[in-house]
Structures are given as structure tokens and as C-alpha cells.
Amino acid sequence: MAIVQSKIASKDNVASLLAQAMEAGDGVLRLTPNWVPRSFLHPGKRIKLAPTDWYALGVNRGGIDERWFASTTEAANEGRTEDEGLSYVKFGGERFLLRDAVEEGKGSVVGEKMWAEYKRWPVFSKFFDNAGPIPHHMHQMQQHAELTGQQGKPESYYFPPQLNAAENHFDYTFMGLEPGTTKDQVRKCLENWNKGDNGILDLSKAYRLKRGSGWLVPAGVLHAPGSLCTYEPQWGSDVFGMYQSLVEGREVSWDLLTKDVPADKKYDLDYIIEQLDWERNVDPYFKDHNYLEPIVDENKSDAAAGYWDRWIVYGLIEGKQRISAKELTIMPGAKCRMQDGGASAWITVQGRGKFGKLDIDSPNMIRFGEEPNDELYITAEAGKNGVEIVNTGSEPLVGLRYFGPDTHPSVPNVGDYKKYL
């Protein structure tokens, strides 16, 4: 059966289409799947992309192991397509970039304060789904990223139970460096890059990954994500540096270590090590300062009415509310009014229902190019006004949504989940 895909609208028509879509959805926009391959990784095959389409962009590009949500950030892939990493809004048989919608709608789409400060939707999220581990790597802090005209990237993890029936090959993540590790030891690993396994994992500690839990990962912190399918709210940047030379027998090129390093620093080992947030990497209380368990938002939940809104990503980074996320569960036949302090992006991971005027459901399988009803962008206008969500199915309706900076009056602190144990 042929896949019917909406056509890309002329940029001249974005203003008109956006206005119509905003009116039709009361400020809620429908998005289409945004698939991203990574040539140095193996797909984990749990993000519902059809098996025939894991290599839809070509074997040379690598398997598709990521789906990005409400992204206005380009994927920093070699050989990328023109719109790789950019999400589309769908309306009336046409689609247009969310990035263009933000530029057109400005504060009504992302929030007046966010537009004034960032002039964009400054965050995005993704599912990343791999058969095995990712190389030990970090995302540059702001002071280093801006040297290449980019932005630093803190990020976070949540492991949705609905997408993790299988653990795949390695459900552990190495994070940071063992307390007492020296910079000379890391330097030695870099010097040994072309001698096989450079031994960087010998300096780190692995934590077992637990479904329904998560982590906060500040910029500059080394991490080698394991093989659970991960929901990953993060800052809107695709900077990174890989510090591990060999993963499961596969070479990691030096270029992946230095892709976001100034041209005159690509072989400067002192500079490459300087990019690491050393204090956070060797923190002896790393788990206490970064591990997350869900916390029910009592102000937004009503067990008797059949719905729960839980914080899954929370805490401050550098003293600021940069990224956050929640998981909303609505039981069969129940409904709730979701009202947030601003814009958010939603992905349905279980069940079906009505999201305001729009139908939502979680498909079992998606062909490349198909446009299911599982992903939405809730504009700042709709987030503040509130949206009624109804579960019309026979199982719980579950959706994950993430937020941009300073959306909430406050968020829980890392470690607050211990109060409810």
C-alpha cells in the first residue's frame, strides 16, 4: 500500500497555514515523525519504525535509531538531508517546519518570555534506541561550544516502560569518572587512541538502568548510554565529543572526538580534556546529584478521577530551570484538564484518546513517511489556557511531554523522590 504523505508547503504560505492550524486545534499543533540515523550506532528496533525502513536513508547513512520530537535543531550528521532533525507541523494535507512556525508565531507559539530571550524553541527531545552502548562521550559546556558558533548541551534521560520490553545488549550506562581519576590518566587514554581500546571505561563506573527512572546529565559530563530505549529532553544543540576509541569492536574516529572543537585545537589534548567539567565528572556522590525517580505532581493529579501527572525530569542545572518533563497517565473513560505554565511537546506512548479537538493514539508500527496521530506541540497559548484530554480507549492513555526553560514556578530538586519512598 502506497504511503500518502503531506506535501511540503511553500514558506510564503506558513503564516496562513499556521493561523488555520492554531484555530482548528485551539493552539495545539500536530507534528509528523522526525527520524534521524547515526552511522556509528546500531538501531535497537523499539521505536516502532517498520523493519523494512530501518535503513530508509541508505545503509551508508546508518540505521535509524532516533526519533526527535518538536525539534527546531538540525542534526549534526555528515551527509545529512537538508531538513534532518527538523520537525514538521501537519495541517490540511500540507506540512511546514516547526522552526518556521516559531519564527512566524513568536511568543504565541513558544511564550513571550522565551521568545524575547532565545528567539527560538531552545530545547528538543528524542527517543534514542540502540542495540548496544554508545561511546563514552560528553556534550560541550557553553564556553566551549560557543567557540564553534554553537551552544552547550545539558540533557536528561527517562526510560519509558512501554518501549523497553527488551533490554538489548547492555542495559548499563557508564557515567563520569571514578573519584580520584587524574587528568593525566585521561590524557593517556587519548594518546592511546589508535592502539585499540583506549581504556577510558576503566576510569568510569557503570550504573544499571531501571525502567521508569532517569538521570540529569549536565554539559561536560562523560556518559556512555546503555541499551534501554531512552526519552531524552535536552537543550537545542547537537554538539558532542566521543572519548572512547572502540565500542563493541567498532572504531570510533578521532573526528567524532573533535567534531565540535576549534580547528586549531583538534590535536590539543590539554584543550580536549579542559572541555570536561572535572568536578562533576569525579563527584563521589554522582548518583545522589543526578539520579531521578518520578514524583507525582499532587496539584495536577486526582487518583479518584483516574489521572496522574508525574515529574520525570526535574532539577536545576547551574541554578537554572533549563529542561523538565512530565508523564501524564489517564485511565480508561477518565479525562483531565492539562494546564501548564507554557509550551510543551507531547508524544503518546500508550493508548488512544482526544487531546482537545485532536485525536491521538500510539501506533504499533510506523512506515517511514507515514504520519500517525501520536505527536503534538502545545503552544504557549494553549498550555496556559489548558486542554481537556479524554481517554477513549480500553487501556491507560500515557503521554510524555517536555518543556523549555523557566516554564514552571518551581520544579522538584534532584533527590526529592526520596521523600516519597
Side-chain angles (χ1 to χ4, degrees):
M1 182 180 295
I3 295 171
V4 179
Q5 190 174 21
S6 57
K7 67 177 183 178
I8 298 178
S10 165
K11 195 166 183 178
D12 293 339
N13 293 333
V14 169
S16 174
L17 285 171
L18 176 61
Q20 294 176 65
M22 291 277 280
E23 182 177 358
D26 285 339
V28 178
L29 305 174
R30 192 179 297 286
L31 304 182
T32 64
N34 178 4
W35 306 107
V36 174
R38 296 295 193 185
S39 61
F40 49 89
L41 297 170
H42 292 164
K45 306 174 182 178
R46 293 166 298 191
I47 52 176
K48 303 184 179 182
L49 182 63
T52 53
D53 298 338
W54 292 330
Y55 293 90
L57 293 170
V59 174
N60 63 307
R61 292 296 321 281
I64 294 172
D65 62 336
E66 297 183 359
R67 179 179 172 182
W68 292 21
F69 302 116
S71 170
T72 62
T73 301
E74 297 179 1
N77 282 338
E78 185 177 349
R80 62 183 296 276
T81 61
E82 183 180 8
D83 57 358
E84 197 160 300
L86 300 176
S87 293
Y88 280 90
V89 178
K90 174 186 175 181
F91 181 76
E94 296 185 89
R95 69 185 192 276
F96 51 95
L97 289 175
L98 177 61
R99 184 167 66 182
D100 291 343
V102 170
E103 291 176 358
E104 182 65 39
K106 300 179 173 60
S108 65
V109 174
V110 301
E112 296 297 342
K113 181 179 177 182
M114 197 175 298
W115 176 257
E117 185 168 355
Y118 301 103
K119 296 293 189 292
R120 67 180 186 131
W121 176 239
V123 287
F124 74 104
S125 188
K126 66 171 76 165
F127 287 150
F128 72 77
D129 174 38
N130 297 293
I134 297 177
H136 211 33
H137 69 282
M138 63 83 201
H139 304 286
Q140 279 83 354
M141 295 180 284
Q142 180 62 26
Q143 65 264 37
H144 299 112
E146 63 188 13
L147 296 178
T148 57
Q150 302 179 88
Q151 294 197 10
K153 188 174 85 162
E155 62 186 22
S156 58
Y157 302 153
Y158 176 68
F159 310 114
Q162 293 86 354
L163 298 173
N164 280 297
E167 297 91 349
N168 284 357
H169 299 167
F170 194 80
D171 58 332
Y172 297 81
T173 288
F174 285 88
M175 295 194 193
L177 297 166
E178 283 280 12
T181 299
T182 67
K183 293 181 179 181
D184 284 343
Q185 287 176 289
V186 174
R187 184 185 180 92
K188 188 67 174 177
C189 292
L190 299 179
E191 291 173 348
N192 289 337
W193 193 270
N194 287 317
K195 296 181 179 180
D197 184 345
N198 68 344
I200 190 72
L201 294 186
D202 296 336
L203 307 179
S204 187
K205 178 186 294 184
Y207 297 85
R208 179 140 188 212
L209 304 181
K210 177 183 173 183
R211 296 174 183 84
S213 70
W215 293 80
L216 205 59
V217 185
V221 170
L222 287 164
H223 51 291
S227 59
L228 283 192
C229 183
T230 304
Y231 179 65
E232 187 184 22
Q234 60 200 266
W235 199 252
S237 172
D238 200 24
V239 294
F240 63 81
M242 302 289 186
Y243 282 64
Q244 185 178 354
S245 62
L246 205 64
V247 179
E248 295 187 318
R250 303 188 307 275
E251 173 200 5
V252 180
S253 73
W254 186 267
D255 289 342
L256 289 175
L257 169 66
T258 61
K259 84 175 187 71
D260 296 309
V261 168
D264 62 341
K265 303 288 188 182
K266 290 188 180 294
Y267 295 94
D268 185 335
L269 302 189
D270 291 329
Y271 176 82
I272 292 170
I273 294 169
E274 178 192 314
Q275 294 178 108
L276 300 176
D277 186 327
W278 197 258
E279 183 178 347
R280 283 197 169 93
N281 274 284
V282 299
D283 180 3
Y285 300 101
F286 187 89
K287 184 173 182 180
D288 287 340
H289 294 156
N290 296 279
Y291 178 69
L292 305 172
E293 291 267 5
I295 297 174
V296 174
D297 185 341
E298 300 290 354
N299 295 321
K300 301 292 180 70
S301 303
D302 188 336
Y307 63 89
W308 301 265
D309 204 19
R310 305 195 303 168
W311 293 101
I312 55 174
V313 172
Y314 50 88
L316 303 180
I317 297 175
E318 304 290 352
K320 297 180 179 180
Q321 188 189 124
R322 303 291 297 279
I323 46 178
S324 57
K326 301 180 85 174
E327 176 193 72
L328 179 63
T329 301
I330 306 174
M331 299 305 289
K335 63 182 178 181
C336 76
R337 188 165 188 81
M338 188 189 81
Q339 193 165 16
D340 297 311
S344 65
W346 167 285
I347 179 65
T348 314
V349 294
Q350 184 178 353
R352 60 186 175 89
K354 294 284 291 187
F355 198 107
K357 295 180 178 178
L358 304 180
D359 293 324
I360 54 170
D361 62 76
S362 181
N364 292 319
M365 186 170 68
I366 308 169
R367 290 296 310 275
F368 188 87
E370 284 184 337
E371 299 172 342
N373 294 334
D374 60 347
E375 185 181 355
L376 303 169
Y377 180 86
I378 300 95
T379 65
E381 185 178 289
K384 290 178 180 178
N385 292 337
V387 183
E388 184 178 79
I389 309 173
V390 182
N391 184 339
T392 61
S394 58
E395 63 177 320
L397 171 61
V398 184
L400 310 177
R401 69 192 191 281
Y402 74 92
F403 307 88
D406 302 316
T407 299
H408 316 285
S410 64
V411 296
N413 292 317
V414 175
D416 278 357
Y417 72 91
K418 296 177 183 178
K419 299 175 184 177
Y420 306 95
L421 296 178

